[in-house]
Amino acid sequence: MKTLKKAVDYEDSIVRQNPLDIPIHVTVFANRRALRMKEGTMSVRELAARIANNVHQSKDGMRHIKLARFSGEKTERGSYRHNSALLAVSGIECDYDAGEMSVEEAAVALEDAGVAAFIYTTPSHQQDENGNRWRILCPFSQEITPAERAPMVARINGLLGNVLARESFTASQSFAFGAVAGKPPPVARTVNGRFLDLCTDLDECAIGTTRLKENTPGVAIDLSGDAWKTAQAARMLDSAAERLSKTEAARNASLCREAYLAGGLLANRLVTRDQVTEAFLPAMVENGYLQDHAGGNEAEVERIIDAQLKAGVRKPFDPAAGDEEWDDDTAPLSSMSIAELLGEDPVISKAEDREAGFLEAASIFEGVVVPAREWMVPALIPHRTVSLLGGDGGTGKSLLALQLAVAAATGIDWIGHTVQRPGPVVYISAEDERDELHRRMASVTEAFGISFSDLPDLLFRSLAGEGAILADLDRRSGKMRRTKIFKNLETAISIASPGLVVLDTLADLHSGDQNDQSHARQFITLLRGLCVRYNCTVLLLAHPSLSGITSGTGTGGSMAWNNSVRSRLYLRRVKENGCESDADARILETMKSNYGRIGGQITLRWRNGVFDAVSEDDEAELQVKAEMAFLRLLDEATEAGQRVSPYTGANYAPALFEAQAKTMGIGKSRLVQAMKELLQDERLSAEKFGPPSRQTTRLVRSHGGFTGG
């Protein structure tokens, strides 16, 4: 009995208090994207008093409020506002945008029912023939669970005649609060009454979201010719697909909601049905819905999408109008109290708070340890960004990149350099078939002294002969858009968590104009996004243009490719006077390095199916080999009665010996160097012979200056 008596006393005391004056938990988000939030307590009457002074320069900059508590857990995009983070609800927010019912009419209905509430108009109220647009805040006597929130909204929806917008029922939905500079101030009304959670008598007329009437269908407009709006619609679709792919609970409801919203874009011909399906179906595969609830039947998922699209086209959507459901602003929020946040917009002046504004003072670094530069391969390939490896066809850049992939996956050195971040690797080849990758991997594993069983962390895919485009050019907007292949790759990266991603080659992965600076920058930006989001390095392979080969710079297409990456390496053959002196020799040169020196060269030699770095000892050994070969070939020429000369011309010794020397793995340039060394050491001499009128020079062996003793 005592317990029952206490409960009755508690309820009586709550009823006797004015609900508008009792502090409740309030969360304020910086804006619709909710990348910053502040929590505290405030009464509804205090909120009402502050609305007129909470002025913003634009609708996008308006604070958003929520009568609830959140866990602080962020989404992949950094938003604090999502259903899974909602802990408890202290009141509801209801949105009305049908245009017909006035604030006074709503206030009278609430007053007659005895519901405590605060009503305020939005910046679009009575603007551009929108009619009446307003919101209602109703406090609770105590916090309730998120699952109990929808029935509370249904009470108000039934009371007002089933007019609330669907967004009112979204558990974590927040709404803009305040005024916009240059527009009429909000109309506000407070209504005295009871806490909504104690108004159990309203349950008889409650109307939930499933019984909401569809508003009169909006007027659809063909906006497909507007490049900005089509690009914006594509971004919205990508964002929706990303949200779905990360959804673990209420997957069916989330799919219905996103497809319904996409229907508004479809109505205005900003997207197609196929675009929506191609975006959402892989997301539902990734989050497990297809297998768990659709039994692997893609047609069932498409049926749900089609049904919601059909409903959504009744509410056409124009991206230029803005929308709380789609948008995700990035403006920061200062660390202020709830009261300060809902007062006049502050001037950010605290430089020590690095997140207080758009800029920050360098003084914040005082006493902070300077972060070390991160590398995949020191001085060659920086970590968490995109590097470019160029080389003309047949040079061996794909093999060299595959060697790096194997080295990173096993922790083995790469061409004499340590891989600082060994671990999983993703290798995508758009040029070589699977069998060719198998053969090359076999050569690499044999040279490294390992087996295929040592490569569980090397994940590869051949896209040769398939559609391998990662970014497709939207001809209408001029923007590079991520393709389904890109999204599949990103999903794989998110699961595998590789330190290195190798993409071979640029020409097969990019459908834009390689000579267009904008296309180049957009593509590299997409790849750099992978680096930042998944803490990995991307090595992009590319062919140089003919002028890039001729000039020795290794560039190709727009210079934006070179300017956009942070490191560019060029693998080239060793040539003199346009002739390749050694078919097995290569030079790997650092053509660009934002974080190190350029111009560095690594001499490589193809041996036993892989490239090895040539050391100083190797060079000395090769030089001795070349000198011995030169002397032997000279002896053979002398014995045959053939005179050879140290000077260029018909009898130039290196030219005459070149063909035979190549069979020994020695190029012409090395023969020239060998001849010079032998002459300098006086093991060869240039002897003049013939009559004075027709005197010529020939090479002969000599004993040099040292005679022993």
Side-chain angles (χ1 to χ4, degrees), residues 132-300:
N132 298 305
R133 293 196 171 187
W134 39 259
R135 287 167 184 147
I136 300 175
L137 304 182
C138 296
F140 296 158
S141 63
Q142 58 186 337
E143 290 185 341
I144 64 174
T145 66
E148 296 173 299
R149 180 184 181 278
M152 299 294 105
V153 179
R155 289 178 178 180
I156 300 299
N157 188 46
L159 175 65
L160 298 179
N162 195 16
V163 298
L164 295 182
R166 287 179 179 271
E167 291 77 15
S168 305
F169 286 85
T170 302
S172 62
Q173 181 69 48
S174 62
F175 293 100
F177 184 85
V180 174
K183 289 193 174 185
V187 176
R189 279 288 309 272
T190 56
V191 178
N192 289 314
R194 300 169 291 167
F195 287 106
L196 180 60
D197 58 319
L198 301 182
C199 298
T200 55
D201 53 302
L202 297 180
D203 286 339
E204 292 183 6
C205 65
I207 301 178
T209 181
T210 57
R211 296 172 58 193
L212 279 175
K213 296 176 183 177
E214 290 292 341
N215 292 335
T216 302
V219 178
I221 305 172
D222 186 353
L223 300 176
S224 59
D226 190 313
W228 183 87
K229 291 180 181 179
T230 54
Q232 194 76 345
R235 183 187 68 81
M236 291 175 174
L237 207 57
D238 286 345
S239 297
E242 184 172 348
R243 286 194 296 272
L244 284 174
S245 68
K246 306 299 182 185
T247 301
E248 297 180 356
R251 290 171 289 185
N252 185 76
S254 296
L255 174 62
C256 290
R257 175 179 175 276
E258 298 292 4
Y260 176 84
L261 292 171
L265 299 174
L266 179 65
N268 286 342
R269 298 189 180 182
L270 291 168
V271 298
T272 65
R273 183 265 183 192
D274 288 345
Q275 282 179 294
V276 177
T277 302
E278 289 175 4
F280 289 179
L281 188 56
M284 302 313 286
V285 172
E286 182 178 346
N287 68 25
Y289 177 84
L290 179 67
Q291 190 60 41
D292 296 345
H293 294 280
N297 185 1
E298 294 185 358
E300 173 61 17

Side-chain angles (χ1 to χ4, degrees), residues 68-109:
R69 283 192 299 116
F70 289 80
S71 66
E73 177 187 359
K74 294 188 286 187
T75 66
E76 290 289 333
R77 285 180 170 269
S79 175
Y80 287 98
R81 181 179 61 81
H82 53 103
N83 286 351
S84 59
L86 186 61
L87 296 178
V89 179
S90 57
I92 63 167
E93 314 81 17
C94 302
D95 185 48
Y96 174 78
D97 59 11
E100 298 178 358
M101 182 179 287
S102 69
V103 170
E104 290 301 322
E105 289 173 319
V108 169

